[in-house]
Amino acid sequence: MVALNSTGATVAITDTNALALASPNLGANTGITAIAGTTLTLPSFNFSTGTGNIDFQSASGTLATNGTLTTSSGTVSLKGSAGVTVGHNITTTTGAVSVTGAGINLTSGNTIDAGSSTITLDGKDGAITLTGALTTTNNTSAAIVIQNASTVSLGDITTGATGFVTLGGATTDNLTGAVTQTGVITTGTLVGNTAGDVTLLGANTITNLGTFTSTGTGGFSLSDLGGLTVTGTVSNSSGAVSITTTVSLLSIGADITATGQSLTL
């Protein structure tokens, strides 16, 4: 077990094998990088690095938090080639948060809060399960991106009023399995690219539905509390499309296509 002690700008350690960290002694703004060739084991410790970055990597193993991760302007990056479990809060003020692993699990009661910055989750073709929450006040097209995964289960997701939630990136960064939710999406614009069914029937508050392509035979279903405007092409080539609002009217400003299938508005 290795203990890192520094009050400088950053402290870093790399091991070609497994690496277990002890609780460190860090300065108020000391960033930390720890990279294990196999599995990185984190201590039961709440990391707080101020303006310093947090970078933890298991190059050929799983990675799991073992305490909260907090920065002000520092970024937080977690990578686990065999999967990442976030079982504690991650909080930044202006620092971006990225989580990459062959399967990502954000456990119930925990939140990734990127302040005014962005959140990116890359499932490396594994399942992403979010029973915790994602939140940011970011108002850009990169506010929250969930990509490169199989099945995805969404908890509460919140962006700034004009921010985007992206479910599936371009080409091979798309989502190949079913997309479902147990929480609520609150965002300026929802866009996506999926090869599976999309079922988002929570009490969502989405201003715009942008370009969303899905090909699952179970179709595309979205429910919104109202005031939703379709601003991009929405299509499913294999299943039905249903877009409904429960309070205010639905406005349609772009094509909606359900090739050979039913369409419900």
Side-chain angles (χ1 to χ4, degrees):
M1 187 169 292
V2 178
L4 300 177
N5 300 284
S6 177
T7 57
T10 188
V11 60
I13 185 171
T14 300
D15 195 312
T16 57
N17 301 303
L19 175 63
L21 293 185
S23 297
N25 181 17
L26 302 177
N29 293 298
T30 301
I32 183 170
T33 296
I35 302 172
T38 56
T39 299
L40 174 65
T41 302
L42 299 175
S44 178
F45 181 81
N46 295 327
F47 287 87
S48 181
T49 60
T51 59
N53 300 329
I54 296 173
D55 183 1
F56 294 140
Q57 301 181 35
S58 290
S60 62
T62 58
L63 179 67
T65 61
N66 202 14
T68 60
L69 307 178
T70 304
T71 76
S72 54
S73 59
T75 62
V76 177
S77 176
L78 303 179
K79 295 180 181 180
S81 67
V84 178
T85 297
V86 179
H88 303 79
N89 290 333
I90 299 176
T91 306
T92 76
T93 303
T94 59
V97 177
S98 65
V99 182
T100 303
I104 297 171
N105 182 23
L106 173 62
T107 61
S108 178
N110 295 297
T111 299
I112 297 177
D113 183 347
S116 61
S117 195
T118 61
I119 299 171
T120 303
L121 306 183
D122 189 316
K124 292 297 182 185
D125 296 326
I128 295 178
T129 303
L130 308 176
T131 50
L134 305 179
T135 185
T136 175
T137 61
N138 190 271
N139 283 310
T140 71
S141 60
I144 294 179
V145 177
I146 299 170
Q147 64 182 12
N148 194 17
S150 57
T151 59
V152 173
S153 176
L154 304 172
D156 289 336
I157 296 179
T158 305
T159 72
T162 58
F164 281 55
V165 171
T166 300
L167 301 179
T171 61
T172 57
D173 280 337
N174 69 344
L175 307 180
T176 60
V179 179
T180 59
Q181 69 178 153
T182 58
V184 171
I185 299 173
T186 304
T187 189
T189 301
L190 175 68
V191 297
N193 181 26
T194 73
D197 307 340
V198 178
T199 308
L200 303 174
L201 299 178
N204 302 302
T205 303
I206 301 166
T207 305
N208 301 305
L209 176 59
T211 301
F212 207 116
T213 302
S214 62
T215 59
T217 57
F220 174 89
S221 299
L222 174 67
S223 179
D224 188 83
L225 288 180
L228 177 67
T229 299
V230 178
T231 58
T233 300
V234 178
S235 64
N236 186 292
S237 59
S238 303
V241 172
S242 173
I243 304 171
T244 58
T245 59
T246 58
V247 178
S248 301
L249 296 177
L250 172 67
S251 298
I252 301 174
D255 292 341
I256 302 172
T257 305
T259 306
Q261 307 293 328
S262 64
L263 174 63
T264 302
L265 301 173

